[in-house]
Amino acid sequence: MLEKIRETAAFLKQKMHTNPKTAIILGTGLGRLANDISDSYCISYKDIPNFPVSTVEGHAGQLIFGKLGGKDIVAMEGRFHFYEGYNMKQVTFPVRVMNELEIKTLFVSNASGGTNPAFNVGDLMIITDHINFFPEHPLNGPNIGDGPRFPDMSEAYDKGLIKLALEIAKDKNIAVQQGVYLGTQGPTYETPAEYKMFRLLGADAVGMSTVPEVIVANHCGIKVFGVSVITDMGVEGRIQKISHEDVQKAANASEEKMTVIMSEMIKRS
């Protein structure tokens, strides 16, 4: 695995003419943030050695290098999911490559269902913690790289970055929520009973991604900031039938607010 990570990183370094220290993973319906990246150049996943290929509608499937907030960044326009049939080593492979490229900060975004009755569709939720409900752990097997065998997860989402995001949201008059994200494997959306269970477990939002990448980022020593766009409500009396298209549409509507916060965070950090 380490050999493949280094091979992929070496290939990308040959193609890169920027020096990003910040990476962004764009979730479902959130790919339009890529339009705000200036001086950009792209590398398709299918052209990158050892990289999986995104199969989900709304995930373009490319790495974008350029500037956001006046600083060099790299963005994944499309991520990989456990439900696509990839194992956790494949799902989190890009984060391992980011570490090899000396990325120091990772921004993760996703579309999720709200289980907190105080939330509404379109809300941005800054992730303060997560619950891992995936059936496979991304650190199973031999320990990869120099990370600890038993990583501490008491601050999976960097408190300093959360504080900065809240300050920016206040400055820009953007309403945000805070809460716990629960990651489950999908690909079905949750039943009303599952939503209720997840709320009882302490989740404010639930989705099908993010947690594996965040675990591996912490294992690598990369600081993480996460945000969920609430695209549907899993609260009794407010549950409606939902489709992937509905999720994309709701995420698109909130993307501008997320872009403002992330861009300013990168600029100030």
Side-chain angles (χ1 to χ4, degrees):
M1 173 63 81
L2 201 53
E3 185 178 323
K4 287 184 176 181
I5 292 165
R6 289 171 176 165
E7 178 189 2
T8 303
F11 169 85
L12 291 172
K13 285 176 182 177
Q14 290 178 344
K15 303 286 185 182
M16 293 164 58
H17 51 78
T18 49
N19 186 31
K21 297 301 177 187
T22 300
I24 305 171
I25 299 177
L26 299 171
T28 298
L30 300 170
R32 288 195 301 178
L33 180 145
N35 297 334
D36 293 281
I37 300 173
S38 62
D39 304 321
S40 64
Y41 58 101
C42 305
I43 305 174
S44 175
Y45 292 165
K46 62 182 176 59
D47 296 328
I48 302 174
N50 308 310
F51 239 62
V53 177
S54 183
T55 66
V56 182
E57 185 182 346
H59 289 244
Q62 60 183 0
L63 286 181
I64 306 172
F65 295 86
K67 290 186 182 295
L68 190 67
K71 294 184 180 179
D72 289 347
I73 61 99
V74 56
M76 285 183 66
E77 193 176 9
R79 55 152 52 94
F80 312 114
H81 303 83
F82 189 69
Y83 65 71
E84 293 176 81
Y86 294 120
N87 63 45
M88 282 299 184
K89 294 291 188 293
Q90 293 171 306
V91 168
T92 57
F93 184 81
V95 179
R96 295 286 183 194
V97 173
M98 290 172 189
N99 183 53
E100 196 70 21
L101 295 176
E102 300 182 356
I103 294 297
K104 302 301 180 186
T105 306
L106 175 64
F107 289 72
V108 292
S109 65
N110 61 58
S112 62
T115 57
N116 187 324
F119 290 2
N120 292 294
V121 171
D123 281 354
L124 293 184
M125 184 191 84
I126 294 172
I127 303 174
T128 57
D129 204 348
H130 72 225
I131 298 170
N132 183 11
F133 223 73
F134 284 90
E136 180 184 324
H137 199 282
L139 300 184
N140 278 356
N143 194 34
I144 297 172
D146 299 325
R149 173 73 279 192
F150 305 104
D152 176 75
M153 294 294 289
S154 61
E155 194 177 330
Y157 300 83
D158 186 81
K159 291 179 181 177
L161 292 174
I162 292 172
K163 182 181 178 183
L164 178 60
L166 292 172
E167 289 172 357
I168 291 167
K170 184 177 180 181
D171 290 347
K172 302 291 184 181
N173 199 29
I174 298 173
V176 293
Q177 306 281 7
Q178 298 180 67
V180 175
Y181 175 87
L182 185 145
T184 187
Q185 81 172 61
T188 53
Y189 294 113
E190 290 68 35
T191 68
E194 287 168 343
Y195 273 130
K196 187 174 183 179
M197 175 185 69
F198 292 149
R199 180 60 183 160
L200 290 171
L201 288 175
D204 296 288
V206 57
M208 306 173 194
S209 65
T210 302
V211 169
E213 296 116 314
V214 171
I215 290 172
V216 169
N218 275 265
H219 181 253
C220 292
I222 298 172
K223 293 194 299 184
V224 176
F225 172 77
V227 60
S228 296
V229 177
I230 305 302
T231 54
D232 62 285
M233 291 304 301
V235 175
E236 193 170 0
R238 297 170 64 188
I239 298 173
Q240 297 180 331
K241 286 189 175 182
I242 189 79
S243 70
H244 186 66
E245 291 72 26
D246 295 330
V247 169
Q248 287 180 290
K249 188 180 297 183
N252 284 338
S254 299
E255 188 172 33
E256 184 177 349
K257 295 183 292 184
M258 185 189 75
T259 301
V260 168
I261 292 173
M262 285 192 176
S263 298
E264 191 66 21
M265 287 180 73
I266 293 167
K267 182 179 179 180
R268 296 189 192 182
S269 59

